[in-house]
Amino acid sequence: MSKKLIIGNWKMNPNSLQEAKNLFNSIKEGIKNVKSEVVICPPFVYLPAIAEGNSGLALGAQNIFWEEKGAFTGEISAEMLKDLGVEYVIIGHSERRKLGETDELINKKIKEALDDNLKVIFCIGETQDDRNKGKKSEILEKQIKIGLNEVKITENLIIAYEPVWAIGTGNNCGVEETKESIEFIKKIVPNIKTLYGGSVKSENSGDYIKKTEADGLLVGGASLDSEEFIKIVKSVE
Ligand code: PGA
């Protein structure tokens, strides 16, 4: 079985560097001998301190800007992240799309990240409204087509299927439905690595790996609880 990929997305948490370091260290301690690739994505401001002297756990960012450098107040470049030892970046998360990030901007970010050899976790997913209207496939296809327009598909690109209605709601997507969506994604982008994300917990995590084609998981809320996150990582071994 190939190596599984488990990503912890801390979002805008925790509130202090000390808490971030404690959380990171307890996760690191708990997963010492696992075979999966485990990636932690803290807020930007904690990355330098966490990256220093780090080994064992890979680091990811939650966003980047699409230009290389220059007069872009408040933005962070792919190269800056690479320089810190960051390997992954989440692009197109629904919480950013909600704030106005379009498929076109996501496309620019993906190109920039891949050009700089960052591994991209490209998030796609339908809202409850899309799902109710039977538009799921159409939405997923549009997000993929525009997001990956003129993007060379490489090993460094991973697609995370994250139904918006399942994120942070405790209402995870059923295994059958996840399986279908992942098959649909793989039909559009053959051989692509995929993750499932949306209310993943240790009670449901193993099923996504055993019963769908997903190559790993994108974990939000549960990655802030070291014990629970360690259980999730161990459940896919
Ligand atoms: P959740 O978040 O696990 O808290 O639902 C997943 C995500 O936003 O990536």
Side-chain angles (χ1 to χ4, degrees):
M1 205 165 66
S2 70
K3 215 172 168 183
K4 300 301 170 203
L5 180 60
I6 312 295
I7 318 273
N9 173 15
W10 288 359
K11 309 191 180 185
M12 200 170 74
N13 298 291
N15 272 339
S16 71
L17 176 59
Q18 196 52 56
E19 285 172 90
K21 281 182 173 171
N22 293 346
L23 178 58
F24 187 80
N25 289 334
S26 33
I27 292 172
K28 195 162 143 177
E29 199 53 35
I31 57 154
K32 262 185 185 155
N33 299 314
V34 301
K35 290 190 223 83
S36 305
E37 165 104 329
V38 181
V39 184
I40 300 296
C41 303
F44 284 133
V45 289
Y46 300 146
L47 280 168
I50 288 180
E52 208 175 289
N54 171 48
S55 62
L57 274 179
L59 286 176
Q62 300 172 17
N63 185 26
I64 56 156
F65 193 56
W66 60 82
E67 293 283 358
E68 272 172 43
K69 64 189 285 195
F72 303 104
T73 302
E75 300 293 352
I76 305 281
S77 74
E79 216 171 306
M80 291 173 189
L81 295 170
K82 279 297 281 189
D83 184 54
L84 288 179
V86 170
E87 286 178 62
Y88 289 81
V89 60
I90 297 172
I91 298 181
H93 193 283
S94 64
E95 287 156 12
R96 297 205 53 83
R97 291 177 186 264
K98 223 184 275 169
L99 296 175
E101 198 159 292
T102 61
D103 290 316
E104 287 77 11
L105 295 186
I106 290 165
N107 175 248
K108 288 189 189 192
K109 292 183 176 191
I110 293 176
K111 286 179 180 159
E112 177 62 16
L114 291 175
D115 276 354
D116 271 306
N117 283 319
L118 282 169
K119 294 175 188 152
V120 171
I121 313 292
F122 168 37
C123 300
I124 60 170
E126 79 287 358
T127 62
Q128 185 65 64
D129 190 47
D130 299 330
R131 186 171 173 239
N132 292 346
K133 290 182 179 148
K135 285 180 152 183
K136 176 163 87 176
S137 309
E138 189 189 315
I139 294 294
L140 295 181
E141 188 160 6
K142 175 174 164 276
Q143 290 174 340
I144 294 173
K145 287 270 150 76
I146 306 177
L148 297 185
N149 183 32
E150 292 178 359
V151 169
K152 191 164 167 266
I153 308 303
T154 72
E155 283 247 301
N156 280 354
L157 180 70
I158 298 134
I159 296 185
Y161 171 58
E162 292 214 307
V164 181
W165 52 269
I167 295 178
T169 57
N171 183 20
N172 61 300
C173 185
V175 166
E176 271 312 307
E177 194 173 340
T178 304
K179 190 169 181 281
E180 276 170 28
S181 299
I182 286 181
E183 281 167 4
F184 179 75
I185 292 166
K186 290 198 188 230
K187 234 186 261 165
I188 305 176
V189 193
N191 303 319
I192 192 84
K193 250 197 192 171
T194 55
L195 309 177
Y196 166 74
S199 298
V200 171
K201 293 193 191 66
S202 57
E203 302 102 72
N204 57 39
S205 50
D207 276 353
Y208 291 106
I209 302 301
K210 281 180 222 125
K211 300 180 184 166
T212 80
E213 293 290 300
D215 303 286
L217 300 165
L218 177 48
V219 186
S223 70
L224 295 169
D225 173 343
S226 56
E227 264 182 50
E228 176 65 4
F229 188 65
I230 292 163
K231 269 198 214 162
I232 291 173
V233 172
K234 292 192 170 162
S235 76
V236 311
E237 289 285 294

